[in-house]
């Protein structure tokens, strides 16, 4: 828990409920991607959401260069459409494991900062399963009615061997 | 959450409690397998449970062909006995990681449909740890007193390189 | 749940709250290691804590030989200092996934026995991510004010190919 957010930090019980709610969000989000439902994937973001996939080196150094950069739901939908209409995406199957979910704090506008670790596995046409990418989500959630939505998700990856011409979302 | 089950869907708080309870079930279930206690493993199923290990291709296409098919606790016990009395099982150690647990719904008979992702690691005699199999559980639970039991568990795997003459349970 | 601890076993609701609290502990603990904050890592232990990294073979046989043995916070700090001042530590990045957290019981002195599975990934300088080690924590927690602290953590690993001259903590 960062000290600058402590002024607006909910109590321990609220933080736990929030952590569990974000776990459920991440499970549904991962299921949309793993089942190839990219239209549904875009529904987890606000209209003006920022979605990036960025190497940990660059993220830590504050460098803007990212592998994927989508600003707004339009760009997310364009990406989903492009992926669904290409044969470039090689893995036969993907599967997300999301763990170590952590709530960092809630600011005065109700924006929830959170983290999680993700492990993305891919099974290639030869039937072999391997680690495609491991990293962490750096998230900002907002509440819309009963639901959480992502105002920002930075997928900060350790694995530097990710280099596709058309990167599948994480 | 599927729409056809929504009539009988518990409220959000109940769903969360159920999710947490299934997590605990899966942790105990995995521990039984990882410690080689196959007798205990069979105790997590109802007497007439259906247990299958099936490739995702076949499961998605509705094809019945599966790698393992056990109908009823007798077949589960036969399998456990066969594995415990063979030298065919090669890995030195196995370890399950279960994540992304999701409650789909509860039907009018109280049967709970749920999902989870599993990652099965194996450590071979040379001491090297690798991914043996990744997949998802497609479960139907029933309640017996204070406990949950599996009326059905389909282990739907992505990894197609799983081919043992005597497959260890997942 | 072991029978000998059942006399002092909290009820189901308390056990769940404890499980969730330990999950949050493990997430923070992993974050300290993954971000390289080894000074913070030592703060998760009591002054006289026992911390070991031991092969499953030895742990199961009750043999004392371990890869790492630290008795007391002084030895933990020595280790942290040695690692931070060496170039021997090869992986570029590490990342922990902790799952399958389980509370075994609480004894008459309030010491909480728990387990968890850990998966340690490493990304090498070439950018490739691989499994460095998989294993399980065998923990004894004590409560100090609002916080949990580790009085004992045995990291029991399956992977036998872990052999560094200066092993990074798990």
């Amino acid at each position: 828990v960062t000290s600058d957010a402590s002024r607006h930090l909910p109590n321990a019980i609220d933080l736990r409920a929030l952590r569990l709610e974000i776990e459920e969000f991440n499970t549904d989000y991962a299921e949309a991607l793993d089942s190839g439902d990219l239209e549904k994937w875009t529904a987890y973001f606000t209209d003006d959401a920022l979605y990036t996939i960025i190497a940990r080196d660059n993220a830590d150094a504050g460098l803007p260069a990212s592998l994927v950069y989508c600003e707004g739901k339009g760009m997310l939908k364009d990406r989903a459409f492009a992926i669904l209409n290409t044969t470039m995406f090689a893995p036969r199957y993907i599967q997300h494991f999301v763990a170590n979910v952590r709530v960092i704090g809630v600011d005065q506008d109700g924006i929830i900062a959170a983290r999680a670790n993700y492990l993305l596995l891919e099974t290639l046409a030869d039937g072999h399963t391997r680690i495609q990418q491991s990293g962490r989500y750096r998230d900002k959630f907002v509440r819309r009615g009963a639901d959480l939505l992502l105002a920002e998700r930075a997928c900060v990856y350790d694995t530097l061997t990710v280099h596709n011409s058309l990167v599948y979302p994480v």
Side-chain angles (χ1 to χ4, degrees), chain A residues 49-133:
Chain A
L50 180 64
Y51 174 77
T52 57
I53 307 180
I54 185 169
R56 182 163 161 183
D57 279 347
N58 288 350
D60 285 350
L63 297 173
S66 58
L67 191 63
V68 168
Y69 183 95
C70 291
E71 201 169 4
K73 202 176 256 185
M75 283 182 73
L76 289 169
K77 286 187 173 172
D78 284 354
R79 170 156 289 266
F81 183 81
I83 289 167
L84 291 171
N85 289 278
T86 183
T87 56
M88 296 291 289
F89 180 57
R92 187 182 180 83
Y93 293 131
I94 58 164
Q95 198 175 20
H96 287 75
F97 289 81
V98 184
N100 297 41
V101 171
R102 207 157 51 99
V103 178
I104 305 291
V106 184
D107 76 9
Q108 57 268 49
D109 299 320
I111 297 171
I112 302 153
R115 302 277 182 279
N117 287 356
Y118 66 85
L119 170 61
L120 179 56
L121 301 180
E122 63 182 3
T123 299
L124 303 175
D126 68 2
H128 178 247
T129 300
R130 65 176 187 189
I131 296 173
Q132 201 267 352
Q133 187 182 145

Side-chain angles (χ1 to χ4, degrees), chain A residues 15-57:
Chain A
L15 273 181
R16 178 161 301 158
L18 206 44
R19 193 255 292 187
L20 295 173
E21 187 178 2
I22 292 171
E23 285 181 353
E24 287 148 14
F25 178 97
N26 284 332
T27 293
D28 290 344
Y29 175 103
E31 173 61 18
L33 289 179
D34 293 352
S35 64
D37 191 347
L38 294 185
E39 185 68 30
K40 188 174 181 189
W41 167 67
T42 65
Y44 291 105
F45 294 89
T46 63
D47 286 343
D48 58 349
L50 180 64
Y51 174 77
T52 57
I53 307 180
I54 185 169
R56 182 163 161 183
D57 279 347

